[in-house]
């Protein structure tokens, strides 16, 4: 409880968004307005977004409101909180007053991945005058300035008639009718960021926002049921960002799948809590969808329905029998989920145009958790051109596929098992002309030995090994990791140093530890031109 003498101050209402008068970044929701037993005057009960306050909405055993957590609520006098300011007033504060170095450091927008990107005031002295002439502004960042209202009718359109991009991150807006009022006065507005404004779930008073192409609603508390209502007001929407909203289900209103969104190219659902792939399949008929961001959800499997299953999924209409799912999807980001089965990886080959895939931070793609390395992912994914943010070059694809085939040949011998577990094996084996290796004698044996030599580059990286130039050696494919350690000690004269070997793969952020001394280069699928890093045991 924060006590100050009551003075003439704004009136507050339950549900109103406010911020601390001394800190516009400390934002909360009014939950109670009125007296408190044993304390004179009027008090305002606030539930703070940060959760850092004093109690749960009760004092001396009397409950006045229910806070979001045990210590997110507090009671304050009206003078220590602010109801916010108008958008035009925020423009004046940001662009018509001399900003301090600290304020300039805080000028940023959120990128699509929810990272802060600083707004650079290039040539500030020369452009300050231009910025102060609002009619020339095409982009404005008003993050965390306490904007709570559009202001007087027509004021925004008169002040900034040419605004195309508006960042309102972390303000006090909550009503969609206010968003509508702002957009209606800005006919050129194409990109709007409302992140970290706690938006009302009751969508009413929203006009047609015909010019909005990018809408960012990260951390706004919005659910898919509200998106279904919003889409009718967003006929030109191309990018929709919905990160951090605890969305777990996709709930279409008129059919089993989401309809409309005719212009939508990018949908960002990262950092939510979607667990079932069937929920994602409800998005499969958004025709223009090219990018679907699903990093940091709870997905544990992926599948692509075929034939009868698609027919059932789409409602069983005869006209939909041959319909494909995700027909234009090129980019699917699945990092940081719980995917652990190879069938999910193989299912990605069924998406008609999918070439950019992220699987990092999933058990299936983490060798440290029993997953498969990058080269196996590339070999199993026939069309992937960008994997985990790194381009797959033609050479890396060829090397990965050959290495993959050799790895399977060295470990598995049951054709039926190979067919079931490695569906691309036969195709790749034939494509690269790799023959079965059978026991042979005489001249054939010598030829086999020669053809089995691999060109391997060895590179010392240990801190105490000194500057040693890399060595390229031709080694039999049957060379074990243990033997390679002994050879490395000899090649580089590593006295009293116990080497530890890592395979450095093109495109992989971290080398792979080779810790099984009995496995051969062939067992590991290591091919020509590979690089082995030699470190030292700690």
């Amino acid at each position: 409880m924060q006590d100050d003498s009551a003075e003439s101050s704004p009136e507050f209402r339950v549900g109103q968004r406010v911020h601390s008068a001394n800190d516009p970044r400390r934002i909360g929701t009014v939950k109670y307005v009125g007296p408190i037993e044993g304390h004179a005057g009027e008090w305002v009960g606030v539930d703070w977004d940060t959760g850092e306050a004093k109690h749960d909405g009760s004092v001396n055993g009397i409950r006045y409101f229910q806070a979001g957590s045990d210590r997110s609520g507090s009671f304050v006098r009206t003078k220590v909180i602010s109801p916010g300011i108008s958008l035009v007033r925020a423009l004046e504060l940001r662009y018509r007053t001399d900003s301090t170095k600290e304020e300039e450091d805080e000028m940023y927008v959120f990128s699509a991945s929810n990272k802060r990107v600083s707004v650079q005031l290039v040539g500030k002295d020369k452009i300050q005058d231009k910025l102060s002439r609002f009619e020339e502004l095409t982009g404005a960042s008003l993050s965390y300035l306490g904007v709570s209202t559009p202001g007087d009718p027509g004021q925004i359109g008169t002040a900034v008639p040419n605004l195309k991009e508006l960042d309102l991150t972390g303000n006090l807006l909550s009503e969609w009718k206010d968003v509508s009022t702002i957009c209606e006065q800005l006919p050129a507005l194409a990109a709007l960021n409302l992140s970290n404004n706690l938006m009302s779930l009751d969508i009413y008073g929203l006009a047609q926002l015909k010019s909005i192409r990018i809408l960012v609603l990260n951390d706004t508390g919005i659910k898919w049921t509200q998106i279904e209502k919003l889409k009718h007001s967003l006929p030109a929407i191309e990018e929709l960002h919905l990160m951090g909203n605890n969305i777990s289900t996709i709930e279409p209103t008129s059919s089993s799948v989401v309809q409309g969104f005719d212009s939508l190219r990018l949908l960002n659902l990262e950092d939510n809590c979607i667990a079932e792939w069937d929920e994602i399949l409800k998005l499969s008929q958004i025709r223009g969808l090219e990018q679907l961001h699903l990093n940091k959800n709870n997905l544990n499997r992926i599948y692509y329905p075929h034939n009868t299953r698609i027919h059932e999924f789409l409602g069983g209409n005869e006209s939909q029998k041959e319909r494909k799912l995700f027909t234009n999807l090129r980019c699917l980001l699945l990092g940081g989920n719980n995917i652990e089965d190879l069938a999910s990886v193989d299912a990605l080959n069924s998406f008609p145009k999918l070439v950019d895939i992220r699987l990092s931070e999933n058990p299936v793609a983490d060798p440290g958790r029993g997953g498969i390395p990058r080269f196996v992912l590339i070999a199993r994914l026939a069309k992937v051109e960008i994997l985990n943010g790194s381009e797959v070059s033609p050479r890396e694809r060829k090397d990965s596929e050959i290495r993959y085939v050799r790895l399977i040949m060295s470990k598995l011998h049951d054709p039926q098992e190979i067919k079931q577990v490695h569906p691309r094996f036969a195709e790749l084996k034939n494509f690269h002309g790799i023959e079965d290796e059978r026991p042979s004698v005489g001249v054939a044996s010598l030829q086999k030995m020669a053809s089995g030599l691999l060109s391997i580059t060895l590179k010392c990286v240990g801190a105490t090994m000194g500057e040693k130039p890399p060595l390229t050696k031709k080694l039999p494919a049957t060379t074990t990791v243990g033997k390679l350690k002994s050879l490395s000690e000899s090649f580089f004269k590593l006295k009293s140093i116990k080497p530890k070997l890592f395979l450095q793969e093109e495109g992989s952020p971290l080398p792979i530890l080779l810790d099984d001394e009995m496995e051969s280069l062939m067992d590991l699928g290591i091919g020509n031109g590979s690089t082995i890093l030699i470190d030292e045991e700690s």
Side-chain angles (χ1 to χ4, degrees):
M1 184 172 294
Q2 190 169 335
D3 198 349
D4 288 278
S5 58
E7 295 178 9
S8 177
S9 55
E11 291 187 1
F12 294 92
R13 68 182 189 280
V14 173
Q16 184 176 2
R17 297 284 281 167
V18 296
H19 67 74
S20 167
N22 298 320
D23 183 3
R25 290 175 178 273
R26 189 165 191 253
I27 299 172
T29 303
V30 174
K31 295 288 188 175
Y32 173 80
V33 180
I36 295 177
E37 188 173 316
H39 298 272
E42 185 174 75
W43 295 85
V44 180
V46 182
D47 192 13
W48 299 100
D49 293 358
T50 60
E52 299 171 359
K54 296 184 177 182
H55 51 69
D56 66 352
S58 60
V59 177
N60 296 328
I62 301 175
R63 177 163 301 285
Y64 295 91
F65 68 93
Q66 182 62 59
S69 67
D70 290 345
R71 301 187 68 82
S72 64
S74 67
F75 289 100
V76 297
R77 293 297 191 184
T78 55
K79 64 181 291 185
V80 301
I81 53 175
S82 170
I85 58 177
S86 71
L87 189 146
V88 172
R89 177 61 182 143
L91 283 166
E92 291 171 347
L93 287 174
R94 175 54 50 89
Y95 295 108
R96 280 190 177 154
T97 57
D98 292 331
S99 56
T100 65
K101 177 64 168 66
E102 289 74 17
E103 288 172 333
E104 288 176 19
D105 288 342
E106 290 182 356
M107 292 184 193
Y108 62 86
V109 295
F110 279 102
S111 70
S113 58
N114 216 30
K115 294 180 179 176
R116 293 182 182 185
V117 178
S118 295
V119 177
Q120 295 182 337
L121 299 182
V122 181
K124 180 191 171 189
D125 292 340
K126 293 182 180 179
I127 66 171
Q128 190 65 48
D129 180 58
K130 182 179 178 181
L131 287 176
S132 67
R133 296 198 301 274
F134 283 176
E135 68 276 6
E136 297 185 27
L137 272 181
T138 57
S141 174
L142 304 178
S143 55
Y144 293 97
L145 283 177
V147 177
S148 61
T149 172
D152 296 334
Q155 196 177 22
I156 298 172
T158 303
V160 282
N162 296 306
L163 207 62
K164 296 178 181 177
E165 299 178 6
L166 178 58
D167 178 13
L168 289 169
T169 296
N171 282 285
L172 306 180
L173 294 167
S174 60
E175 299 299 331
W176 288 102
K177 62 180 176 58
D178 291 336
V179 175
S180 183
T181 299
I182 291 169
C183 293
E184 283 181 301
Q185 295 182 61
L186 299 172
L189 190 66
L192 176 63
N193 190 343
L194 292 170
S195 295
N196 293 94
N197 289 269
L198 189 59
M199 299 305 300
S200 170
L201 298 182
D202 187 8
I203 296 176
Y204 66 94
L206 192 60
Q208 285 281 301
L209 311 181
K210 296 180 180 179
S211 64
I212 297 292
R213 284 170 170 72
I214 300 173
L215 181 60
V216 186
L217 295 171
N218 299 338
D219 298 293
T220 56
I222 199 165
K223 304 301 178 189
W224 194 265
T225 49
Q226 282 76 48
I227 297 300
E228 288 285 320
K229 295 175 183 177
L230 275 177
K231 73 180 179 185
H232 302 295
S233 298
L234 297 166
I237 192 72
E238 296 176 9
E239 289 189 22
L240 182 58
H241 297 269
L242 303 171
M243 296 174 63
N245 286 306
N246 289 318
I247 294 171
S248 59
T249 57
I250 306 297
E251 299 162 6
T253 52
S254 56
S255 71
S256 59
V257 294
V258 174
Q259 305 286 340
F261 288 116
D262 295 336
S263 301
L264 192 67
R265 295 182 299 102
L266 185 155
L267 177 60
N268 184 351
L269 285 164
E270 292 187 20
D271 198 21
N272 279 289
C273 46
I274 302 169
E276 299 297 329
W277 185 248
D278 281 357
E279 297 299 323
I280 303 303
L281 287 176
K282 295 174 185 177
L283 304 168
S284 62
Q285 295 301 296
I286 301 177
R287 289 306 201 170
L289 192 63
E290 297 176 3
Q291 298 184 50
L292 181 55
H293 299 186
L294 298 172
N295 293 328
K296 297 182 180 178
N297 274 276
N298 299 323
L299 296 164
N300 55 26
R301 68 185 286 252
I302 305 159
Y303 71 94
Y304 190 95
H306 290 283
N307 304 328
T308 305
R309 180 70 180 88
I310 290 181
H311 186 44
E312 294 171 356
F313 183 77
L314 295 176
N317 295 332
E318 288 298 316
S319 62
Q320 295 175 331
K321 272 189 176 180
E322 303 301 320
R323 185 172 291 186
K324 296 286 188 181
L325 308 183
F326 296 111
T327 50
N328 287 298
L329 192 68
R330 295 179 55 81
C331 172
L332 179 58
L333 305 185
L334 293 161
N337 279 279
N338 304 317
I339 299 162
E340 55 186 4
D341 64 311
L342 291 173
S344 289
V345 176
D346 297 333
L348 296 171
N349 287 316
S350 297
F351 290 72
K353 294 184 180 180
L354 188 59
V355 293
D356 184 351
I357 300 168
R358 182 176 292 278
L359 286 167
S360 52
E361 298 180 68
N362 280 280
V364 72
D366 182 356
R369 291 191 282 170
I372 55 179
R374 178 180 170 89
F375 82 91
V376 175
L377 286 171
I378 291 170
R380 295 188 83 111
L381 296 169
K383 295 175 288 192
V384 68
E385 296 174 4
I386 301 172
L387 178 62
N388 297 335
S390 176
E391 184 179 355
V392 178
S393 67
R395 173 174 175 176
E396 186 185 11
R397 171 162 291 286
K398 180 180 178 181
D399 289 349
S400 295
E401 291 176 347
I402 292 172
R403 184 178 166 195
Y404 170 69
V405 171
R406 287 177 172 161
L407 176 65
I408 296 167
M409 290 170 64
S410 72
K411 289 184 176 295
L412 297 178
H413 304 288
D414 181 350
Q416 194 60 34
E417 182 183 0
I418 290 175
K419 185 176 180 180
Q420 288 179 348
V421 182
H422 301 279
R424 296 200 71 218
F425 172 78
E427 169 198 346
L428 293 175
K429 182 170 174 286
N430 292 334
F431 180 77
H432 293 290
I434 301 171
E435 297 181 2
D436 292 320
E437 295 183 1
R438 295 186 173 85
S440 52
V441 293
V443 174
S445 180
L446 292 173
Q447 289 173 341
K448 177 178 178 295
M449 184 179 294
S451 66
L453 291 176
L454 303 175
S455 179
I456 303 294
T457 298
L458 302 169
K459 188 182 295 184
C460 288
V461 295
T464 64
M465 292 178 180
E467 293 288 335
K468 296 180 185 294
L471 292 177
T472 300
K473 296 287 184 178
K474 287 191 177 295
L475 302 170
T478 55
T479 303
T480 64
V481 171
K483 178 65 174 176
L484 188 55
K485 285 184 178 180
S486 299
L487 290 172
S488 298
E489 291 177 23
S490 173
F491 292 153
F492 293 104
K493 298 180 174 56
L494 303 177
K495 296 178 182 179
S496 69
I497 292 177
K498 193 174 180 181
K500 185 162 62 171
L501 305 183
F502 293 85
L503 174 64
Q504 185 176 50
E505 288 195 297
E506 181 181 348
S508 285
L510 296 172
I512 298 171
L513 174 64
L514 307 179
D515 55 354
D516 188 342
E517 296 200 356
M518 300 304 294
E519 284 197 305
S520 69
L521 300 178
M522 181 186 296
D523 291 336
L524 293 164
I526 295 175
N528 262 323
S530 296
T531 298
I532 303 290
L533 304 180
I534 305 166
D535 203 349
E536 54 196 287
E537 294 280 2
S538 55

